[in-house]
Amino acid sequence: MTIARRTLLLAVGATLAAPALAQDFPTRPIRIVVPFPAGGTTDVLARLYAQRLTETLGQSVVVENRGGGGGSIGADVVAKSAPDGYTLLFHNLTFSTTTAALEFANRAPHSIERDFAPITLGANVPMLLLVNPSVPARNLREFVAWAKTQPQPPFYGSTGPGSTMNLIGELLKRDADIRMEHVPFRGAAPLVQDMLAGRVQFGGDQLSSSLQHVRSGALRAIATLADTRPSALPDVPTVREMGLPNLTLLGWNGFFAPARTPEPVLARLHREIAAAARFPALATRIQELGAEPGGNSPEEFGAAVRAQIEQVRPLVRALQLQIE
């Protein structure tokens, strides 16, 4: 057989195999790695999607929580998994800040751009800045004024060194010229619990998992990192309105696969997840959580994530944000 004929046969075989691969996938359970403990917004959204995908894919889709390292531990599990579509990552905006901090420290075990294939946005979720009600502040400007009067620096909590809230806390200290002490947690759920108990005065969380506490008065929302006020809490001002535009950051939760996952498999995953985002019962549930359902194209989702990485990298370098 000539080399040219062999090459032609291989090309034809690959062309025929691609649709078959997508048609056969999946043939066994799929796991969605959430790089935070159970109970936070990212975990809740992942489980909503997993339930719907189990119904539509005909295979079990399970959520596995792998918290720690500001989300980097769970993300690295996926980065090093087989690129076959059976291990997915469901992460949020902390992905960009944690990765940038690890890069700054020359300790990045993975690269978002190199080691992951974006699939689609799961939901846009505004990020809120929160205080315990014992803090006499109704908005971020009042919090800054209060913090400057305290003999001891108030505590601010985050989901770990290098996380979004760690970045926001350090930016606030710099731009507002206040003192605060950082308290890292393994995820939003334990952070919120300590805020509810009053052990941490200031922190941040995605709107979906903190909305009930804000509405009950157990926590007070003093600003949102989003460009616009959240429809679920229209009285909460943006950080830009509070004169701190550097704190503006888009909140998102989305799906990734390991790089080199076959394109037919990625296409099938995108099609099913996007359809799930449009499924009325799921879309309604996401909206009830104060979020906006996703389902955009991999190209759109990837471009948005890359833009956020470019936004936070210079901030991380300027603040010399470290992951210990």
Side-chain angles (χ1 to χ4, degrees), residues 231-244:
S231 57
L233 296 170
D235 293 333
V236 177
T238 68
V239 288
R240 189 177 299 277
E241 290 178 80
M242 294 289 98
L244 293 158

Side-chain angles (χ1 to χ4, degrees), residues 210-273:
S210 56
L211 183 59
Q212 59 176 326
H213 301 306
V214 173
R215 285 177 168 167
S216 71
L219 292 175
R220 185 179 302 128
I222 59 172
T224 175
L225 303 187
D227 283 322
T228 59
R229 295 188 178 200
S231 57
L233 296 170
D235 293 333
V236 177
T238 68
V239 288
R240 189 177 299 277
E241 290 178 80
M242 294 289 98
L244 293 158
N246 282 333
L247 275 60
T248 302
L249 206 60
L250 175 67
W252 57 267
N253 291 261
F255 288 91
F256 300 82
R260 299 175 298 282
T261 299
E263 188 59 38
V265 172
L266 290 174
R268 176 77 192 281
L269 287 167
H270 174 266
R271 186 165 63 251
E272 296 294 342
I273 295 170

Side-chain angles (χ1 to χ4, degrees), residues 5 47 82 91 135 150 155 159 178 213 319:
R5 179 174 171 76
R47 293 178 187 279
H91 214 321
V135 176
Q150 300 309 295
F155 292 117
T159 55
I178 60 173
H213 301 306
L319 293 166

Side-chain angles (χ1 to χ4, degrees), residues 35-204:
F36 304 105
T41 292
T42 306
D43 175 68
V44 171
L45 289 171
R47 293 178 187 279
L48 290 173
Y49 272 103
Q51 180 179 355
R52 178 58 183 167
L53 292 172
T54 295
E55 297 168 358
T56 60
L57 287 171
Q59 293 287 341
S60 295
V61 180
V62 297
V63 171
E64 178 181 321
N65 298 93
R66 297 291 292 269
S72 63
I73 292 175
D76 203 49
V77 168
V78 178
K80 293 176 170 56
S81 295
D84 53 14
Y86 289 97
T87 301
L88 307 178
L89 176 67
F90 192 67
H91 214 321
N92 62 30
L93 71 165
T94 279
F95 201 8
S96 57
T97 56
T98 303
T99 302
L102 285 165
E103 289 172 346
F104 175 73
N106 293 316
R107 293 175 48 206
H110 51 253
S111 161
I112 297 179
E113 299 101 316
R114 184 188 65 240
D115 297 322
F116 295 91
I119 300 174
T120 190
L121 176 73
N124 276 324
V125 189
M127 183 87 171
L128 298 178
L129 298 182
L130 305 161
V131 294
N132 181 276
S134 64
V135 176
R138 296 289 170 180
N139 57 52
L140 186 56
R141 191 176 290 121
E142 291 182 3
F143 173 79
V144 168
W146 171 80
K148 289 182 175 180
T149 67
Q150 300 309 295
Q152 298 296 324
F155 292 117
Y156 85 87
S158 81
T159 55
S163 66
T164 295
M165 196 55 216
N166 184 199
L167 174 66
I168 294 300
E170 296 305 310
L171 276 173
L172 182 60
K173 287 166 59 177
R174 184 195 71 179
D175 292 0
D177 191 25
I178 60 173
R179 296 184 304 154
M180 292 191 294
E181 294 291 337
H182 180 212
V183 182
F185 293 83
R186 291 178 62 86
L191 162 59
V192 168
Q193 288 304 311
D194 266 35
M195 289 192 67
L196 290 168
R199 291 186 286 269
V200 172
Q201 289 80 41
F202 175 74

